[in-house]
Amino acid sequence: MSTYSDATTYLTEELSFKKLIKLSIKELIPNSLGSITISIILLIFSLIISFFIGISPNTIEIADDIIKQLLSVQLAIFACVLTVYSILSAFFTDSCLKKLAQIETTEHSKPFLVKCIEYFETSIVIYFIGVLISLIAMFLTSTMETSFRLFNCILDEIFAIILLSIYISINIRIVFELKSVIFNTFCIFRIYTSYRLIDFELKEHTENRS
């Protein structure tokens, strides 16, 4: 089977939003010692912040403010990732697409082009999920009164600390994923530029021979 057929086979598979969500969650799960260490640090950091917010008399107000700030950041990143995806799609020439499709990886021989497309698709879904979570959280905190009590004071504080630590750690991890988006964008741009330079060199060589 040719590399073009391989890429076409992967890209024409039935795609569902449920599958994209699964791939997005898989992308967020730490799979190396470095990513596990970073995840633990983020979790500890989130627990510390959540503890001070949870024991504060203004827990709901502070949480609402943090959620709104994170939502603004996520919307900005979401727009940037969509823009980068659109720009990269416009950048790809026929010759560049051919060469990217011919690059194979060790992961079940999946073409590099397919991996790039899948990564940016999952990244967009990741930030969409982050925005959706923040919108739900903002709606909840906006409708709660500052004196709202679910259980007694101590249980409410513990409950708030747990929920806030989960929310903050997940959202910081989602924002932190921007590092990988930037890195992959640089890699694709460098590959695109190198292949364009090769095309220029071949064209000049052909012109000189003629």
Side-chain angles (χ1 to χ4, degrees):
M1 185 180 288
S2 67
T3 51
Y4 302 133
S5 299
D6 290 340
T8 304
T9 301
Y10 281 110
L11 293 173
T12 54
E13 287 180 353
E14 185 178 353
L15 186 65
S16 64
F17 194 72
K18 184 178 179 180
K19 182 181 178 181
L20 283 174
I21 291 176
K22 288 182 179 178
L23 290 172
S24 303
I25 294 172
K26 183 180 177 182
E27 195 71 39
L28 290 173
I29 295 174
N31 53 10
S32 64
L33 181 61
S35 58
I36 292 172
T37 304
I38 292 172
S39 298
I40 293 172
I41 292 172
L42 290 177
L43 181 59
I44 294 171
F45 177 73
S46 302
L47 281 170
I48 294 171
I49 294 176
S50 301
F51 174 77
F52 288 108
I53 298 173
I55 63 174
S56 169
N58 302 316
T59 299
I60 294 177
E61 291 180 2
I62 298 172
D64 185 60
D65 187 54
I66 290 174
I67 290 166
K68 287 177 180 177
Q69 294 295 331
L70 278 173
L71 179 60
S72 299
V73 172
Q74 288 169 343
L75 285 171
I77 295 175
F78 184 63
C80 288
V81 174
L82 279 175
T83 303
V84 169
Y85 184 76
S86 302
I87 292 172
L88 287 176
S89 300
F91 260 127
F92 288 152
T93 59
D94 290 343
S95 60
C96 185
L97 279 175
K98 288 178 182 178
K99 291 180 174 66
L100 287 175
Q102 290 169 354
I103 301 175
E104 294 185 357
T105 62
T106 55
E107 186 185 344
H108 308 297
S109 299
K110 184 181 289 186
F112 178 76
L113 175 63
V114 176
K115 289 196 69 177
C116 290
I117 293 172
E118 283 186 350
Y119 177 76
F120 276 97
E121 286 174 346
T122 54
S123 296
I124 291 170
V125 174
I126 285 171
Y127 289 110
F128 171 76
I129 292 172
V131 169
L132 189 62
I133 292 172
S134 293
L135 281 172
I136 295 171
M138 186 181 69
F139 175 77
L140 291 174
T141 54
S142 298
T143 54
M144 289 180 184
E145 296 181 357
T146 54
S147 59
F148 176 79
R149 284 286 177 268
L150 188 61
F151 307 109
N152 58 52
C153 184
I154 297 176
L155 285 177
D156 281 352
E157 288 179 357
I158 295 172
F159 190 62
I161 290 169
I162 293 172
L163 286 181
L164 283 169
S165 61
I166 293 172
Y167 171 79
I168 293 173
S169 59
I170 289 175
N171 279 276
I172 291 178
R173 177 65 186 87
I174 289 174
V175 172
F176 195 74
E177 183 63 23
L178 185 61
K179 173 185 69 70
S180 297
V181 175
I182 293 171
F183 177 78
N184 281 285
T185 303
F186 287 164
C187 289
I188 295 172
F189 183 75
R190 287 168 70 93
I191 292 171
Y192 167 81
T193 304
S194 64
Y195 281 140
R196 289 290 291 168
L197 291 173
I198 292 171
D199 286 341
F200 292 152
E201 186 176 359
L202 290 174
K203 187 177 180 181
E204 289 181 359
H205 181 69
T206 304
E207 289 175 351
N208 291 334
R209 289 186 62 183
S210 62

